[in-house]
Amino acid sequence: MIEHTNQPSQLSSLIKLLGIFVAILCFTLIGQAAVVALLAPLHNYDAMDAINSLQRFDNRFELLLAQGISAIFTFILGPLAFGWKFDRSYIKQLRRPSIDKQQYLLAIIIMAIFLPLGGLILYWNQNIQFPESMSALEGWFKSKEIHLAEVTAYIVDFDSFWEFLFGLVVIALLAGIGEEIVFRGFIQRYFEGIFQNVHAGIWLSAFFFSFIHLQFYGFFVRLLMGVLLGYLFLWSGRSLYPCILAHITNNAITVISVYLNKEEYLPEMRDPFSAEAPEWYIVAIFTVLAFGLLYYYKNIGSKLRNT
């Protein structure tokens, strides 16, 4: 059965979707200016040297600071400013709690035990072979993937516990909050309104969520994550809190795992194409358990909505 949505009209949703993209772009530029302004004193007020320092990847604190500020402006302040001006009624809905508080814990557990399936999909994604006619594109994708992997490995190679905490706030907390506000809080809802179908909203917002990371060799696992977060949002009675907690959990597990075991994880992060697939029986067991809990999570919301 197709599940329709009680969203605004298609034209209104389309206009708001375009508006949120414009707001994000504008606040991204403002955020970049704020990054330069904050880093300039560390470089004798030389703005160009501050900008170039972010390209050299030789100062982890500055990279994390820039990433955190950018996340605040792009994914939090921009969307909330747009909502406050053009969609104020929905800003109030973003504070809506889950239908049942146990969904908060369930969302965390579900995300954690979906990780083996995600690992298998990632392994398959990283081993996709392009036809000979597309070898140039394949080479470009791979070189970009390796570059981003090296940058990520450098960022999470923390030198101290305080640097680790700062990284955890930026990579897990801010990213989890901001990306859920944007993709589940606004974009998913606007796609639902355009197509008048909740499933279209979930899958299209998940597609854009994965696409903006600009990594083909991680596209499908991020698509799965976006879809999962979309249904956690829908089945919680459209509360952002469960999917925010799940998103934070996903990012935090990676950051904490690397910090506790650098020798094992960092080499794999630097060479993403060397990773091995998880054992099939682990994937099978955890996937069955994850879908069982997801079904229970959905039923909690359904029963309470019908009471």
Side-chain angles (χ1 to χ4, degrees):
M1 181 178 71
I2 295 177
E3 186 173 357
H4 292 282
T5 178
N6 296 319
Q7 296 292 335
S9 70
Q10 292 173 299
L11 179 59
S12 172
S13 297
L14 176 60
I15 292 172
K16 288 179 178 179
L17 179 66
L18 296 175
I20 195 74
F21 285 148
V22 171
I24 288 171
L25 175 60
C26 291
F27 273 78
T28 296
L29 297 176
I30 296 171
Q32 291 176 348
V35 167
V36 174
L38 286 174
L39 292 183
L42 303 177
H43 296 268
N44 296 319
Y45 295 94
D46 187 335
M48 287 306 302
D49 187 53
I51 294 172
N52 292 333
S53 71
L54 298 177
Q55 305 299 321
R56 293 194 297 266
F57 303 109
D58 57 3
N59 189 312
R60 188 175 297 104
F61 172 78
E62 291 187 8
L63 286 172
L64 286 170
L65 182 63
Q67 187 173 334
I69 294 171
S70 297
I72 290 171
F73 276 87
T74 300
F75 294 112
I76 299 177
L77 296 182
L80 292 181
F82 171 84
W84 184 258
K85 180 66 177 177
F86 300 104
D87 205 354
R88 189 171 298 186
S89 63
Y90 191 61
I91 286 291
K92 296 179 181 178
Q93 295 179 36
L94 290 179
R95 299 194 297 269
R96 176 188 297 166
S98 176
I99 293 174
D100 189 316
K101 298 301 184 293
Q102 66 177 310
Q103 287 187 317
Y104 298 156
L105 179 59
L106 279 172
I108 292 172
I109 297 172
I110 289 168
M111 177 58 72
I113 61 179
F114 256 116
L115 291 178
L117 176 61
L120 180 62
I121 293 174
L122 179 62
Y123 175 79
W124 166 79
N125 197 169
Q126 291 173 337
N127 286 276
I128 291 177
Q129 299 294 319
F130 283 61
E132 185 64 30
S133 60
M134 301 177 67
S135 60
L137 179 63
E138 180 180 20
W140 184 81
F141 279 148
K142 286 187 174 181
S143 63
K144 182 173 180 59
E145 188 76 17
I146 291 172
H147 171 70
L148 291 174
E150 290 174 346
V151 172
T152 302
Y154 171 75
I155 290 176
V156 298
D157 187 12
F158 306 114
D159 290 328
S160 68
F161 177 72
W162 298 111
E163 200 170 63
F164 157 71
L165 287 181
F166 186 33
L168 195 63
V169 169
V170 171
I171 299 169
L173 187 65
L174 291 180
I177 294 173
E179 291 181 7
E180 291 313 298
I181 289 174
V182 171
F183 290 98
R184 259 53 67 181
F186 285 96
I187 293 178
Q188 178 173 318
R189 174 175 175 253
Y190 294 151
F191 272 128
E192 289 177 16
I194 293 170
F195 293 95
Q196 297 295 299
N197 184 283
V198 295
H199 305 294
I202 288 170
W203 282 88
L204 285 171
S205 60
F207 175 88
F208 274 89
F209 167 72
S210 186
F211 178 79
I212 65 157
H213 288 84
L214 300 176
Q215 290 180 264
F216 172 78
Y217 290 104
F219 178 84
F220 291 99
V221 70
R222 289 192 180 93
L223 178 66
L224 170 68
M225 179 180 172
V227 169
L228 174 60
L229 291 167
Y231 282 107
L232 290 177
F233 175 65
L234 175 66
W235 293 334
S236 67
R238 298 181 185 276
S239 169
L240 274 179
Y241 298 115
C243 48
I244 285 175
L245 289 173
H247 198 142
I248 291 172
T249 297
N250 178 79
N251 293 8
I253 287 174
T254 300
V255 175
I256 294 171
S257 298
V258 172
Y259 180 70
L260 295 178
N261 196 352
K262 291 183 181 182
E263 293 76 13
E264 178 183 349
Y265 287 99
L266 284 178
E268 292 182 3
M269 293 187 73
R270 294 190 178 97
D271 184 8
F273 299 102
S274 66
E276 298 180 357
E279 298 292 343
W280 69 268
Y281 59 89
I282 294 177
V283 175
I285 293 171
F286 276 76
T287 300
V288 170
L289 181 58
F291 274 107
L293 288 176
L294 190 59
Y295 180 74
Y296 177 61
Y297 178 98
K298 177 185 178 183
N299 280 348
I300 290 174
S302 298
K303 289 177 181 179
L304 289 174
R305 282 195 297 270
N306 292 331
T307 57

